[in-house]
Amino acid sequence: MSCGCKTSGDSAHSCGPKKTATGCESVNTCGNSYKLSVFDWLSNINNPTSNRCDFVEVRFKNDRKSFYKNVNNIPLHIGSVVTVESSPGHDVGVVSLTGELVKIQMKKKKFSEELALKIYRQANQKDLEVWQEARKKEEGVKLEARKIAQRLGLEMKVTDVEYQGDSSKITFYYTADNRIDFRQLIKDYAGSFRTKIDMKQIGFRQEAAKVGGIGSCGRELCCSTWLTDFRSVNTNVARYQQLSINPQKLAGQCGKLKCCLNYELDSYLDALSHFPSSSTTLDTEKGRAFCIKIDVFKKKMWFAYVDHSIAWYDFDIDLVKKLISKNKRGEKILPLEDLKQPETSVQTIDLIQENSVDRFEKKNKNNRNNRSNQNKPNNNQGQGQQGQKKNRPERQERPERTDKPERTENPSANSGNQPRQQKPQHQQKAPVEKVKTEATPNAEQNPQSNPNKKKFKKKYPPKKDKDA
């Protein structure tokens, strides 16, 4: 016995042994998650009267369901598979609703109790086997039906195929823009499938509901999950919501305007009731101005001059109402640029740094510096020769000479060019040689640390001749 889930009729499907009055245990795959299921909020409430409701709601493949009368008083619950009356033969369906809530649904859909058909019995094993075998044939029959329609040159699309529970009738659901001549098509279908043929035309919205898919919002289509009634959607809905009339953005997968445009229409109409008319014009001293744009959320209206419509000026609706009342009294208002109040700029502090483009680069930069600092001591320890070179004493900077050579009393000694050229040469060599002499003691103390280092002999500067 199958439960009241969406995949009932498939022999490979099993929802577990536990079943309740509202379906089986798995809510994700069973009755309560299916779009044709109705939440029975009266299931835990005892009926105050002794009169029992004899009507139940039974659903079939796709979005088809109807109300049937339980003439034999069979104990039924949600998920029971029953055999019901049909023409011709019988059909097999799943009970989707029982109890007093069925009468409320019948009253809501204006279903007459006299038109309700009968429930024969709960489906037995033979009924289930015939029903499941018929469901397995539907995909192959749909492909064959499309080939026959294409061979006859008919401008139609076979969307879905539904077998009756006893395999005595096939219903073909199709979509077409124009009227189709079915005289030859039904003959070919009857000769190929050997059953009674029934053709039903559906709209493009119903086709999208049967096929399913993912919408532009990233979620599954509303028509294939929970939407059961399709209301008309026109372009005025987009105009009320200040949307650009772009058919590529406003159309859904069915090729029609999206059903979700109707969801927020009432809120927009309520907000627009407080706005002046969009055809409002203002008489100013500079000329006539007309409304260009309306912002529902900010409650503002944009105006521009008729002669110079490049510059736009936005005003609150309260101010616009005052200006309209002045025009009604025959007074002209000030120019729009004089009425425009300077906007006070509010300085905001971006704590999260969402507006900075390089916020990620700064973090990576700091991480690189930290990694390089961590790796520096490890590299110094691993390289022994480089560490020994770094232990050498650094050369001292060249000291500045403060002592100046004393001038001799003999002017003839300084008169020539040679002593003047030789004197600075000795002065430049002396400090360099001192640096070398300072570095040699460390090398002599540690001769093993640098065995390949050359030893330099000490060189002293020439002594000055006092007699010169």
Side-chain angles (χ1 to χ4, degrees), residues 11-79:
S11 59
H13 174 70
S14 177
C15 291
K18 186 176 180 181
K19 297 179 182 179
T20 60
T22 57
C24 73
E25 187 178 11
S26 182
V27 181
N28 295 327
T29 57
C30 295
N32 292 336
S33 63
Y34 191 53
K35 75 171 186 175
L36 293 182
S37 300
V38 179
F39 178 69
D40 191 1
W41 52 276
L42 294 175
S43 60
N44 297 329
I45 301 175
N46 295 325
N47 191 1
T49 60
S50 59
N51 296 331
R52 184 181 177 183
C53 181
D54 297 333
F55 293 92
V56 295
E57 185 185 63
V58 181
R59 64 174 178 83
F60 303 92
K61 186 184 177 181
N62 296 327
D63 55 351
R64 184 171 69 92
K65 65 180 180 179
S66 184
F67 300 97
Y68 292 88
K69 190 173 183 180
N70 189 5
V71 292
N72 298 324
N73 293 328
I74 303 172
L76 299 175
H77 57 82
I78 296 175

Side-chain angles (χ1 to χ4, degrees), residues 13-179:
H13 174 70
S14 177
C15 291
K18 186 176 180 181
K19 297 179 182 179
T20 60
T22 57
C24 73
E25 187 178 11
S26 182
V27 181
N28 295 327
T29 57
C30 295
N32 292 336
S33 63
Y34 191 53
K35 75 171 186 175
L36 293 182
S37 300
V38 179
F39 178 69
D40 191 1
W41 52 276
L42 294 175
S43 60
N44 297 329
I45 301 175
N46 295 325
N47 191 1
T49 60
S50 59
N51 296 331
R52 184 181 177 183
C53 181
D54 297 333
F55 293 92
V56 295
E57 185 185 63
V58 181
R59 64 174 178 83
F60 303 92
K61 186 184 177 181
N62 296 327
D63 55 351
R64 184 171 69 92
K65 65 180 180 179
S66 184
F67 300 97
Y68 292 88
K69 190 173 183 180
N70 189 5
V71 292
N72 298 324
N73 293 328
I74 303 172
L76 299 175
H77 57 82
I78 296 175
S80 299
V81 184
V82 292
T83 304
V84 297
E85 182 183 1
S86 181
S87 59
H90 65 271
D91 202 354
V92 179
V94 181
V95 176
S96 58
L97 192 65
T98 59
E100 295 295 327
L101 200 60
V102 179
K103 290 184 178 180
I104 301 175
Q105 290 292 106
M106 293 174 67
K107 185 178 180 180
K108 178 183 177 182
K109 297 183 178 181
K110 298 179 181 180
F111 188 85
S112 178
E113 296 182 0
E114 298 176 356
L115 300 176
L117 300 178
K118 297 183 294 183
I119 293 178
Y120 289 146
R121 61 185 180 274
Q122 281 192 343
N124 52 28
Q125 188 64 30
K126 184 178 180 180
D127 295 336
L128 293 176
E129 290 177 358
V130 174
W131 180 38
Q132 292 175 1
E133 289 295 329
R135 292 285 294 272
K136 293 178 181 178
K137 298 179 184 177
E138 290 175 353
E139 191 65 25
V141 171
K142 181 175 65 175
L143 298 177
E144 185 66 24
R146 288 179 177 177
K147 293 179 182 179
I148 295 173
Q150 186 178 7
R151 187 175 68 245
L152 296 176
L154 300 177
E155 296 181 357
M156 58 176 291
K157 179 184 177 182
V158 179
T159 303
D160 199 6
V161 176
E162 182 181 1
Y163 261 96
Q164 193 170 287
D166 57 351
S167 300
S168 61
K169 185 177 72 173
I170 305 177
T171 303
F172 293 91
Y173 298 94
Y174 70 95
T175 57
D177 295 327
N178 302 319
R179 191 171 180 177

